[in-house]
Amino acid sequence: YTGGSNSVRGAWEPLRRAGATARRMLISAAAEAWGVPDGECGTREGLVVHLPTNRQRDYGSLAEAASRLPVPENVSLKKAADFQFIGTDLTPLDALDKAQGTAVFGSDIKLDGLLIATIVHCPVFGGSLKSIDDKKARLVAGVRHILPVDSGVAVVADNFWAADKARRLLDIEWNPGPNVRLSSASIRSEYRQAVERTAETLDQRGESLQADYEVPFQAHATMEPMCCTAHVRDGRCDLWVPTQAPTETQQTAADYLLSVPERLLGKLRKKLGDSSLEQVQVHTTFLGGGFGRRLEQDFVAEAMQIAMLVEAPVKLIWSREEDMQHDFYRPYTYH
């Protein structure tokens, strides 16, 4: 995953070692093909070069042969003085695509027969659906399905505008659950009372200084709201999703396929059998803003459930209101 503002710092040496290992295997594959010692070969700009004769092979043509070689346990890393790209001013490879509008974000995915879904969650965290009157919503042109799902109510339509209009016409009664009286004000009051309790003094030096500091709950407010496209068919699942954790997304989908009850999967269960990670393909799009929010998998599970229920490819797009109200917030703190 990428998150916690530590991706480069945490992956710096493992990625360097992976690259150096692959480089060593590519050199060995080329040397074997040429019948020369490894030591006579070097690399530059995606090529293995036989230094005495300047013969060249690109990495791509050597990849399959290299993959069959033993993986070396110890490789030497390049010295900082020999870095070619690190520390230099390079143009981002995605800059032109983003400037021209050709970069593909999660909301840009297009598939044959693709339906668009949006979702309504209970306004109270931990609440659940009690009843729904969808008569008005079903009159909106383009609406295909209105479905109770684990996390709320999904509206599936031919386009987002129809789905969003129908969402606003739903008459929903919720079971608010145990957090119905919880609010920012009540949490603030509880925190203030907590800091006013007498504390044990471990050490005291110099003068006392007192000040209060508060930070409110804060949503990530990603530029693109939560979205995920899911297509389940023929014993496999494809997901197109802006995610900071593609492996967790793959695991979420695989687990979900196996855990959904028979009554929901119906004939799809027979097609899927014992789903494994190999049956789930994650296509990671441009992120649309992450900031940690897209480490979570709630919107992926929703897209999976909706796609299986309607038996068609579905792109789930949260409204901005739902995105702000159902975030995983930076915690409120009182010091």
Side-chain angles (χ1 to χ4, degrees):
Y1 70 88
T2 57
S5 300
N6 67 1
S7 301
V8 172
R9 183 171 68 251
W12 166 250
E13 185 169 323
L15 285 178
R16 290 187 67 203
R17 291 197 176 279
T21 301
R23 175 180 179 273
R24 172 53 51 196
M25 295 168 73
L26 290 163
I27 287 176
S28 295
E32 184 177 298
W34 290 325
V36 300
D38 285 15
E40 292 184 0
C41 300
T43 59
R44 65 167 184 263
E45 298 179 347
L47 301 171
V48 177
V49 181
H50 183 228
L51 301 176
T53 63
N54 201 36
R55 282 180 290 180
Q56 301 177 359
R57 288 282 298 275
D58 64 85
Y59 289 171
S61 68
L62 295 166
E64 185 175 350
S67 70
R68 293 193 293 266
L69 297 176
V71 179
E73 293 185 6
N74 298 304
V75 293
S76 58
L77 299 182
K78 186 183 294 185
K79 296 179 181 179
D82 297 326
F83 287 167
Q84 289 181 279
F85 303 110
I86 296 172
T88 63
D89 188 11
L90 300 172
T91 301
L93 297 179
D94 57 8
L96 186 61
D97 288 341
K98 289 178 177 177
Q100 294 180 335
T102 57
V104 177
F105 292 84
S107 298
D108 296 324
I109 295 300
K110 294 181 175 67
L111 299 173
D112 290 339
L114 182 66
L115 299 177
I116 309 298
T118 193
I119 196 160
V120 183
H121 303 92
C122 180
V124 181
F125 284 102
S128 60
L129 179 65
K130 184 175 182 180
S131 65
I132 177 174
D133 183 346
D134 60 9
K135 295 185 185 66
K136 294 179 181 178
R138 288 188 180 276
L139 296 176
V140 175
V143 170
R144 298 288 193 93
H145 308 274
I146 297 177
L147 307 165
V149 292
D150 292 345
S151 58
V153 179
V155 181
V156 185
D158 293 332
N159 55 71
F160 179 77
W161 311 111
D164 189 59
K165 182 176 180 180
R167 172 184 72 88
R168 300 172 190 275
L169 294 173
L170 292 172
D171 186 3
I172 302 175
E173 186 176 0
W174 302 98
N175 290 312
N179 296 319
V180 64
R181 299 188 183 281
L182 192 66
S183 67
S184 296
S186 68
I187 293 173
R188 183 175 188 271
S189 176
E190 185 178 331
Y191 276 35
R192 286 177 65 90
Q193 292 174 31
V195 299
E196 288 170 2
R197 290 197 292 267
T198 301
E200 179 184 357
T201 300
L202 299 179
D203 190 16
Q204 184 169 338
R205 306 180 190 185
E207 300 178 7
S208 293
L209 183 67
Q210 182 171 324
D212 295 344
Y213 297 89
E214 286 185 74
V215 178
F217 285 106
Q218 290 183 315
H220 292 87
T222 57
M223 292 174 282
E224 179 181 50
M226 298 300 99
C227 58
C228 175
T229 298
H231 192 190
V232 181
R233 83 283 187 209
D234 300 328
R236 61 175 288 108
C237 170
D238 282 89
L239 293 166
W240 291 263
V241 56
T243 176
Q244 294 174 247
T247 304
E248 289 190 31
T249 295
Q250 186 184 41
Q251 187 67 62
T252 296
D255 291 346
Y256 199 81
L257 289 172
L258 289 177
S259 64
V260 171
E262 179 76 30
R263 62 182 174 80
L264 291 179
L265 274 179
K267 62 184 180 183
L268 280 174
R269 167 67 76 193
K270 297 178 182 178
K271 292 181 181 179
L272 289 165
D274 295 327
S275 178
S276 64
L277 291 177
E278 289 72 25
Q279 291 172 284
V280 179
Q281 179 70 41
V282 178
H283 310 269
T284 307
T285 67
F286 280 104
L287 206 55
F291 320 127
R293 175 62 178 95
R294 299 188 199 274
L295 287 167
E296 305 295 343
Q297 302 298 315
D298 52 328
F299 59 103
V300 174
E302 290 173 348
M304 285 290 300
Q305 185 176 7
I306 297 167
M308 288 190 292
L309 287 172
V310 303
E311 297 188 30
V314 172
K315 182 188 339 182
L316 171 66
I317 304 176
W318 285 23
S319 68
R320 177 59 75 190
E321 298 95 322
E322 293 291 329
D323 187 58
M324 295 297 288
Q325 192 171 11
H326 295 277
D327 202 339
F328 289 76
Y329 302 104
R330 176 183 294 174
Y332 166 77
T333 63
Y334 188 95
H335 304 273

